[in-house]
């Protein structure tokens, strides 16, 4: 990461469902699927899926804050998942699929808290998105990286990821990179 780039780490269900849509955005340099928020060092996908590590599936987004603000990233994040369901997104159930924002500094925490407060009235149920400082990010195994790009015909990608890509392309068209 260079000085003109920032990081955001977000959990909103399966990391494949967040990775591909965030890769669409202008100002995003890299999106890495991984794990955060747990107690087990160097967790594996299998261990995280067991629900025993405390980790959530996350994406870590390297972006240019001069082209895309943290608040803009959070707007996309909240559009891509249901922040009112505890430990569940679509067909994925377990604490590893929780809604969480792992902040990198106090400014991110303040923006995240203000965003949740502002959005609360838009939902019938309370927002359960956790906001906590990022302690450690563990990149997921290589086969999880660029998963949709490498597996677009898989049923999960068709049923879960593709609609999220379409949503970003339609709802955030002004922020979608032209070369995507």
């Amino acid at each position: 990461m260079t000085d003109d780039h920032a990081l955001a780490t977000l959990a909103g269900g399966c990391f494949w469902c967040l990775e591909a849509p965030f890769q669409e955005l202008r100002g995003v340099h890299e999106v890495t699927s991984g794990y955060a928020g747990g107690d087990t060092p160097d967790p594996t996908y299998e261990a995280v899926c067991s629900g025993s590590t405390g980790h959530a599936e996350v994406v870590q987004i390297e972006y240019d804050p001069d082209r895309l603000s943290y608040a803009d990233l959070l707007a996309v994040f909240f559009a891509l998942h249901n922040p009112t369901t505890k430990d569940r997104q679509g067909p994925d159930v377990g604490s590893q699929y929780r809604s969480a924002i792992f902040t990198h500094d106090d400014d991110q925490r303040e923006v995240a808290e203000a965003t949740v407060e502002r959005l609360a009235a838009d939902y019938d149920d309370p927002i359960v998105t956790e906001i906590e400082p990022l302690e450690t990010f563990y990149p997921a195994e290589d086969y999880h990286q660029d998963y949709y790009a490498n597996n677009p015909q898989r049923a999960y990608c068709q049923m879960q990821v593709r609609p999220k890509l379409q949503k970003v392309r339609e709802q955030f068209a002004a922020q979608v990179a032209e070369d995507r």
Side-chain angles (χ1 to χ4, degrees):
M1 189 176 76
T2 63
D3 289 340
D4 59 339
H5 294 176
L7 292 174
T9 305
L10 306 170
C14 175
F15 43 38
W16 302 335
C17 289
L18 296 178
E19 180 189 57
F22 278 113
Q23 288 172 332
E24 296 277 305
L25 300 177
R26 181 177 294 134
V28 169
H29 297 284
E30 187 171 348
V31 181
T32 305
S33 291
Y35 315 109
D39 301 320
T40 303
D42 300 312
T44 64
Y45 181 67
E46 291 74 20
V48 171
C49 285
S50 76
S52 65
T53 69
H55 288 90
E57 289 191 14
V58 301
V59 290
Q60 189 162 84
I61 304 159
E62 182 182 340
Y63 67 101
D64 180 347
D66 292 332
R67 298 185 71 203
L68 185 69
S69 73
Y70 187 67
D72 290 336
L73 286 173
L74 292 182
V76 173
F77 170 68
F78 281 103
L80 290 174
H81 81 294
N82 181 347
T84 68
T85 55
K86 183 168 175 54
D87 298 341
R88 177 183 197 127
Q89 290 298 314
D92 300 318
V93 179
S95 62
Q96 66 271 29
Y97 302 114
R98 67 188 179 270
S99 176
I101 300 169
F102 295 95
T103 59
H104 291 255
D105 57 35
D106 287 339
D107 289 339
Q108 284 189 354
R109 181 187 47 77
E110 289 171 12
V111 171
E113 289 172 350
T115 299
V116 167
E117 186 175 320
R118 182 178 47 77
L119 291 175
D122 294 346
Y123 294 93
D124 293 333
D125 296 316
I127 292 175
V128 296
T129 304
E130 299 171 3
I131 301 170
E132 61 185 80
L134 177 70
E135 291 185 19
T136 305
F137 169 77
Y138 297 99
E141 295 81 353
D142 287 345
Y143 68 93
H144 290 295
Q145 309 305 328
D146 298 312
Y147 192 83
Y148 180 81
N150 293 325
N151 301 281
Q153 299 309 317
R154 287 244 161 121
Y156 188 92
C157 290
Q158 293 291 310
M159 299 297 293
Q160 302 299 320
V161 182
R162 181 175 277 177
K164 294 176 186 298
L165 276 171
Q166 281 306 116
K167 186 173 201 170
V168 165
R169 291 172 182 163
E170 292 167 9
Q171 192 172 336
F172 300 96
Q175 293 164 304
V176 172
E178 294 169 10
D179 61 345
R180 304 281 189 226

